Amino acid sequence: MNIYLDLFATFFRIGLFTFGGGLAMLPMLEKEVVQKKGWATYDELVDYFAIGQCTPGIIAVNTATFVGYTKKKWKGAAIATLGVVSPSLVIIIFIASLMTSFASLEIVQHALAGIRIGVCVLIGQAVWKMMKTGVKDVYGLVIFLVILLASYFNWLPVVLCVVFAMLCALIYCQIVKKKTGVSPALKFANSGVPQKSKQEDHPTEKQEQKSQKEGDAS
């Protein structure tokens, strides 16, 4: 399939069958973009969500733009964005034309109540998976709890919460790097990469003797 058509079809499907906004879209984005298409890793997808949350606009649309751009630059970004917003535009226009007439019906109210519960589950699942990926140590947990309280009690605007968390992470990384010589971010990034064994880095005494004998024989 043509990559542009594939981008449009994939994000059109995501926009058509997911409800509840950007965070609720994360499970389906993971399934389509990470597992099926391999256009990004889960960590990269979470990074797109984090950046999309810090930038103006809808988080799901921003994420689609990021993924499209990584595949086919500006054309890919435009097509992926168009794909994810097209179902919403059509459905919202249709619903808006009917909502004023049917919103007061009891069956509609019950249906909306059920949808809200389902959306809460999807958002909760997305938050839990992002937390497991983002919170990697005690310091990360402290930042998480502080930002949670600050946002819940409206101590800081959302933008300042994000900026504060970013500054805390930068300061922490610099302190740890000065003490240990290793950046925590680099350590976490390489945590899944298998390391060479000591035998590969440092030959044993028997291996050295064998190499010396082979050299003498030659």
Side-chain angles (χ1 to χ4, degrees), residues 26 41-51 129-130 133-134:
L26 183 57
T41 65
Y42 183 76
D43 287 342
E44 289 173 340
L45 186 62
V46 172
D47 289 340
Y48 295 154
F49 260 67
I51 298 172
K129 294 188 72 172
M130 291 180 71
T133 303

Side-chain angles (χ1 to χ4, degrees), residues 163-174:
V163 173
F164 178 74
M166 177 185 68
L167 292 176
C168 289
L170 289 174
I171 294 171
Y172 171 70
C173 286
Q174 290 301 318

Side-chain angles (χ1 to χ4, degrees), residues 18 26 46 90 94 108 121 156 176 185 194 210:
T18 51
L26 183 57
V46 172
V90 175
F94 177 74
V108 175
V121 173
L156 290 173
V176 174
K210 183 177 179 181

Side-chain angles (χ1 to χ4, degrees), residues 9-207:
T10 299
F11 282 101
F12 185 90
R13 187 163 57 250
I14 292 171
L16 183 62
F17 292 107
T18 51
F19 302 87
L23 288 177
M25 283 184 170
L26 183 57
M28 190 165 184
L29 278 167
E30 179 189 3
K31 181 179 179 180
E32 293 288 339
V33 175
V34 178
Q35 298 176 3
K36 287 188 176 181
K37 302 298 182 179
W39 290 338
T41 65
Y42 183 76
D43 287 342
E44 289 173 340
L45 186 62
V46 172
D47 289 340
Y48 295 154
F49 260 67
I51 298 172
Q53 188 69 50
C54 302
T55 52
I58 303 171
I59 185 172
V61 176
N62 293 349
T63 303
T65 305
F66 277 122
V67 175
Y69 185 83
T70 58
K71 296 304 295 179
K72 283 296 180 179
K73 301 299 180 182
W74 295 105
K75 288 184 179 180
I79 290 174
T81 303
L82 181 62
V84 78
V85 302
S86 295
S88 300
L89 289 175
V90 175
I91 293 172
I92 288 298
I93 291 174
F94 177 74
I95 291 177
S97 64
L98 300 176
M99 197 66 179
T100 55
S101 302
F102 298 99
S104 59
L105 295 179
E106 183 179 357
I107 188 171
V108 175
Q109 293 296 321
H110 287 312
L112 292 174
I115 290 174
R116 285 195 292 269
I117 294 172
V119 168
C120 289
V121 173
L122 292 174
I123 293 176
Q125 179 188 2
V127 170
W128 175 248
K129 294 188 72 172
M130 291 180 71
M131 180 180 171
K132 290 195 297 183
T133 303
V135 180
K136 299 179 181 292
D137 55 13
V138 175
Y139 188 79
L141 181 61
V142 171
I143 295 178
F144 173 83
L145 293 175
V146 170
I147 298 300
L148 177 64
L149 292 174
S151 61
Y152 182 80
F153 291 104
N154 294 320
W155 294 339
L156 290 173
V158 174
V159 174
L160 291 183
C161 286
V162 175
V163 173
F164 178 74
M166 177 185 68
L167 292 176
C168 289
L170 289 174
I171 294 171
Y172 171 70
C173 286
Q174 290 301 318
I175 293 174
V176 174
K177 189 175 181 179
K178 284 185 178 180
K179 288 184 177 181
T180 65
V182 179
S183 172
L186 183 62
K187 181 180 70 173
F188 292 139
N190 295 331
S191 60
V193 179
Q195 303 294 324
K196 291 183 178 181
S197 64
K198 293 183 178 180
Q199 290 186 351
E200 291 176 333
D201 293 334
H202 304 286
T204 62
E205 183 178 351
K206 290 184 179 180
Q207 290 175 331

